[in-house]
Amino acid sequence: MVQRVLIAGGYGAVGGTAARYLRRLAPDLEIILAGRSAEAGAALAREIGATTLRLDVADPAAALAEVGPVDLILATLQDRGDALIQAAMAQGAAHIGITKVVEETGPAVFAALHAPPRRPVVLAGHWAAGVLILAARPAIAEFDRVDSVAMAALYDMADAVGPMSAADAEAFSSRALLRRAGPWAWVDGGDHGRAVGFAGGPEAAMQPLAALDVPSLAALTGAPDIRFDFGIGDSIGSRAGGRASHDALIEIDGVLRSGRRARRRVLVSDPKGVGHMTALGAVVVAERVLGLDGLPLPTGGLYLPETLVASERALARFEQHGVRITTETDPA
């Protein structure tokens, strides 16, 4: 039976890349590219053999009724009222959303607890739709005790992103979630900055955000100190004289299973930029939701990328498409 996927924002920088990768994974997949201006997606639709749909996220009922039942709604744009999540749950479709930060996830969580979804609803508003948390898991598994985890993402202004992604970046809340010595704290990110260097480059000024990676890292590690920071600077790609890359660093401090104290650094770099990395994260989740990886379909329920997708398989897919992941371990 042919599966149907509706990609909201399907001809934007992230959605369009995700659509192309999904077509390569599943030549028979029916893909619907949805957005505010269906005409803008016509060229991509012809390229990959998809259809287009005009979709108003604030009031999607008419458009979704027109297109009929789908197996998955992949939302690569903001859905402030959770209209697409509600629509997916109502028709028994799966849903993947990649834009929500911590304080925006509550309504979806409560909805899923009151009426358990028949297919997966995946909260993938982590940085790059879960790429970093999936990269962190194998490194975390080598620790007997984790004392702190610090993630940082570096955006290069030469990294071309779509207008919607640019608007989202400008709207990042200064309100950040940190875990410090155990307790949680909501803080003004501008008052809790730090400097981070990437792969021998100059240090960049960073400030924390409320990314979903933060509470997930706490659940995975129990570490009393956790933060996620974002900053702007020259990327590894730009410094090498090439295209701007998107770079991220994961630093884990603690005690290894051998009993030795250590700091592990995982560097994740996508030479094609942040939009490409985010699309890959979304595609890996969609691949699992739809069973395109050859495994049985997952049961319904509320998921995160890291509770649904095996890290080893995901990292192999990321590296297959050019993402570079390197790990170093130093005495703590």
Side-chain angles (χ1 to χ4, degrees), residues 135-208:
R137 287 200 72 171
I140 289 168
E142 298 183 19
F143 283 80
D144 183 61
R145 187 188 78 227
V146 177
D147 296 324
S148 68
V149 186
M151 283 187 175
L154 182 71
Y155 174 67
D156 190 321
M157 293 295 286
D159 182 0
V161 295
M164 186 171 296
S165 298
D168 290 345
E170 291 175 0
F172 281 151
S173 172
S174 62
R175 191 166 177 254
L177 180 64
L178 303 176
R179 195 176 196 190
R180 300 182 297 186
W184 292 97
W186 285 97
V187 302
D188 186 326
D191 295 335
H192 294 79
R194 67 186 180 113
V196 181
F198 290 76
E203 290 189 332
M206 299 264 168
Q207 71 176 53

Side-chain angles (χ1 to χ4, degrees), residues 290-310:
L290 296 169
L292 302 180
D293 52 7
L295 299 174
L297 289 174
T299 58
L302 192 64
Y303 291 88
L304 304 167
E306 64 274 23
T307 66
L308 181 69
V309 179

Side-chain angles (χ1 to χ4, degrees), residues 226-252:
I226 300 173
R227 62 185 292 154
F228 180 96
D229 296 276
F230 171 79
I232 296 173
D234 292 334
S235 66
I236 293 170
S238 287
R239 297 201 312 270
R243 176 177 177 171
S245 58
H246 184 60
D247 310 323
L249 184 66
I250 306 159
E251 297 176 294
I252 307 163

Side-chain angles (χ1 to χ4, degrees), residues 23-112:
R23 172 57 71 226
R24 294 180 197 175
L25 284 170
D28 295 331
L29 190 67
E30 185 176 341
I31 299 174
I32 303 144
L33 307 175
R36 288 172 294 191
S37 174
E39 297 77 15
L44 176 60
R46 289 192 297 271
E47 175 191 333
I48 66 172
T51 59
T52 60
L53 176 73
R54 188 185 181 283
L55 177 71
D56 178 359
V57 177
D59 185 16
L64 295 177
E66 175 188 336
V67 79
V70 297
D71 294 280
L72 168 65
I73 295 176
L74 170 57
T76 67
L77 42 64
Q78 293 288 354
D79 178 15
R80 301 293 187 192
D82 287 348
L84 296 177
I85 297 176
Q86 293 168 9
M89 291 177 61
Q91 68 168 254
H95 181 278
I96 302 168
I98 68 169
T99 63
K100 294 188 182 298
V101 292
V102 173
E103 62 261 45
E104 297 172 326
T105 59
V109 171
F110 276 77

